[in-house]
Amino acid sequence: MAPPSAAAVDTPNVTDPSLYLEGIPHDRFAQIRATPGLAWHPYEDGGFWAVTRHAEVRHVSRNPELFSSAIGHTNLWDLEADALEARRSLIDTDAPDHTRLRRLVAGAFTPKNIRRWEETVRAITGELLDEFVAQGGGDWVDMVAAPLPIQVILTMLGVPTDDADYLVELSNYLVEGTGDAQSIPPDAFGNTTELRLLPFNSPASHALFEYGEGMRQQRQNDLRDDLVSHLVQAESDVERMSRNEYRNMFHLLVFAGNETTRTAISHGGMALAAFPDEWGRVLADPGLIDSSAEEILRWATPVMHMRRTATTDTELAGTPIAEGDKVVMWYASANRDEAVFEDPFRFDVSRANGDHFAFGGGGPHLCLGAFLARLEVTVLLEEMAKRSICLEQTSEPVRARSNFVHGVLSVGMQPAGGTN
Amino acid sequence: MAGEEMVRVAVDQELCIGAGVCELLEPEVFELDNDIVISSVTGDELLPRARADVVVDRCPSRAIAIVEEEL
């Protein structure tokens, strides 16, 4: 690990999970962005290069041969070799393993194939919004932001939507695992595996693995037209997918398929409530729906960073990077980079530049669910507009204690001026 | 105008991860095979250079290239 240069020791801390209880520490990121070169950020026994500007995040993201996803870990802390193998998912691979695993699921998530789910998404969304209005509001996360994406991804997977609440509960524990304070004991859910071998060091990962194994056994003799059946067929040929790859893929699809879009919708609701004039512009001109969905994604930045590891000595922003150094792409910062986004702290539903990094900074790890998430956010805005739902925030958000997931656990909302 | 120049594009099928971005941007030129989830160039494979540059840039796995040749 490279020694920090004298100039870098003043880098403000952006990893303390408790900071995020108050939201993204944007002032700290702005300070790092304004400092020439890359900032060295101390972390545990070592540290990492904090990549905070849009152009440089893009460079790291788009050059996987220089910046590997398969070495060390894609989170800030390194894993032991056996833990990395046990936990390795699509996220933690480089080509050719990444290409092989990605192709197994990519077909379900292409823009063309995602469009086939539009009516399903619309029906689920309409039902949730009608209930939200009928109840006079409530917890926006509980009533809309969480159930919409989990019901959609479970439908695609072929998992019973009756289990949505349980799988959201597991996801909440996984988010806790990305922070520094877990509320459940190591043996929760009957777990006996060492936590370091489980994704996010969470016993909830054991429960999700068990659930995925149950689905695998069910589908093995009863193949259907769903994503789990597709994976089970692939897993029957070890050249295509191993059992361990199956369980990590199932884990990833359920967790990333619900938690991230939930976060986007949570922040989206908060933004629409905070900037009613902007929502008013959308209501007056439905042509702004697409750009407002992109602005919500930029605003929300559901995944705040990903880490890479340098495969060779290289250089970025004039700063030398040594082979083996950790390099962390802070999407949360790049999405507020004043060099790319004019007036970046303004929520602007007609923003012309949609080059945000809500789905990563480009390159092969482009979010698998990007087009599904766009569909969900777009349909939500369309259905809200159709019902003339304006949101009023009734309580402060409870935010996740995490520097990784920009999660909102709850936030009160009520409809104002609905036409029901 | 360089924008009028028509170029041929090709997909490196080893690199393609099946994201489908090319199929979204240029449905007349690219098509993903739903079984193997790999993109290929279909019949009408010429694109104005400016549009080809966009799809080359937007391909997440850098699998698309402009084939430089005398047309």
Side-chain angles (χ1 to χ4, degrees), chain A residues 44-87:
Chain A
E44 294 184 341
D45 297 334
F48 58 80
W49 296 111
V51 183
T52 54
R53 288 179 293 263
H54 191 276
E56 287 136 18
V57 168
R58 181 182 161 93
H59 175 82
V60 173
S61 195
R62 291 171 62 124
N63 287 283
E65 58 296 326
L66 295 177
F67 302 101
S68 168
S69 292
I71 303 171
H73 196 193
T74 49
N75 284 118
L76 300 178
W77 60 94
D78 274 325
L79 296 176
E80 297 96 342
D82 59 338
L84 184 57
E85 282 318 305
R87 297 163 59 155

Side-chain angles (χ1 to χ4, degrees), chain B:
Chain B
M1 282 289 289
E4 290 301 306
E5 183 196 353
M6 301 298 284
V7 295
R8 194 176 300 280
V9 288
V11 178
D12 183 333
Q13 301 200 330
E14 288 287 306
L15 296 179
C16 176
I17 59 168
V21 174
C22 55
E23 194 184 43
L24 175 72
L25 293 174
E26 299 292 349
E28 302 297 316
V29 175
F30 299 95
E31 187 172 17
L32 246 71
D33 179 304
N34 263 332
D35 293 322
I36 54 171
V37 199
I38 295 176
S39 175
S40 56
V41 173
T42 56
D44 183 13
E45 60 210 73
L46 294 183
L47 274 176
R49 182 174 287 274
R51 275 165 55 190
D53 284 343
V54 170
V55 76
V56 166
D57 179 66
R58 293 278 300 279
C59 170
S61 59
R62 289 192 183 161
I64 300 169
I66 293 173
V67 183
E68 299 292 354
E69 59 182 29
E70 295 297 317
L71 291 178

Side-chain angles (χ1 to χ4, degrees), chain A residues 202-261:
Chain A
S202 172
S205 285
H206 162 78
L208 193 45
F209 282 161
E210 289 288 293
Y211 192 96
E213 175 58 16
M215 284 300 303
R216 191 190 67 78
Q217 289 177 12
Q218 264 186 34
R219 285 296 185 273
Q220 209 167 20
N221 302 311
D222 178 23
L223 290 174
R224 300 184 193 173
D225 183 22
D226 58 34
L227 203 41
V228 169
S229 298
H230 179 73
L231 293 177
V232 167
Q233 278 178 292
E235 191 269 341
S236 66
D237 174 1
V238 74
E239 295 288 308
R240 299 180 67 200
M241 184 182 231
S242 69
R243 181 69 53 88
N244 192 51
E245 286 168 343
Y246 166 82
R247 67 178 199 161
N248 280 296
M249 183 72 87
F250 182 86
H251 186 290
L252 177 68
L253 289 169
V254 171
F255 179 59
N258 92 85
E259 204 290 324
T260 51
T261 314

Side-chain angles (χ1 to χ4, degrees), chain A residues 59-252:
Chain A
H59 175 82
V60 173
S61 195
R62 291 171 62 124
N63 287 283
E65 58 296 326
L66 295 177
F67 302 101
S68 168
S69 292
I71 303 171
H73 196 193
T74 49
N75 284 118
L76 300 178
W77 60 94
D78 274 325
L79 296 176
E80 297 96 342
D82 59 338
L84 184 57
E85 282 318 305
R87 297 163 59 155
R88 196 187 290 283
S89 77
L90 187 61
I91 304 258
D92 313 288
T93 53
D94 294 328
D97 282 335
H98 175 263
T99 315
R100 171 177 57 85
L101 290 171
R102 176 91 181 207
R103 279 182 191 161
L104 290 177
V105 287
F109 293 95
T110 65
K112 193 170 162 184
N113 288 335
I114 281 299
R115 248 175 255 139
R116 295 184 300 145
W117 292 97
E118 181 174 337
E119 286 320 304
T120 305
V121 173
R122 201 171 293 285
I124 292 170
T125 306
E127 220 170 277
L128 294 171
L129 286 175
D130 288 342
E131 181 64 17
F132 176 78
V133 171
Q135 298 278 329
D139 179 1
W140 176 250
V141 178
D142 219 32
M143 295 187 80
V144 179
L148 167 54
I150 190 81
Q151 287 185 29
V152 173
I153 192 68
L154 295 186
T155 304
M156 289 177 71
L157 283 163
V159 171
T161 50
D162 287 351
D163 291 336
D165 288 349
Y166 173 64
L167 294 167
V168 166
E169 183 195 344
L170 293 185
S171 301
N172 287 339
Y173 291 127
L174 296 176
V175 171
E176 278 185 6
T178 74
D180 57 356
Q182 302 210 37
S183 66
I184 48 173
D187 62 352
F189 303 107
N191 176 51
T192 56
T193 304
E194 282 180 81
L195 294 185
R196 66 183 190 88
L197 299 176
L198 293 169
F200 306 118
N201 301 314
S202 172
S205 285
H206 162 78
L208 193 45
F209 282 161
E210 289 288 293
Y211 192 96
E213 175 58 16
M215 284 300 303
R216 191 190 67 78
Q217 289 177 12
Q218 264 186 34
R219 285 296 185 273
Q220 209 167 20
N221 302 311
D222 178 23
L223 290 174
R224 300 184 193 173
D225 183 22
D226 58 34
L227 203 41
V228 169
S229 298
H230 179 73
L231 293 177
V232 167
Q233 278 178 292
E235 191 269 341
S236 66
D237 174 1
V238 74
E239 295 288 308
R240 299 180 67 200
M241 184 182 231
S242 69
R243 181 69 53 88
N244 192 51
E245 286 168 343
Y246 166 82
R247 67 178 199 161
N248 280 296
M249 183 72 87
F250 182 86
H251 186 290
L252 177 68

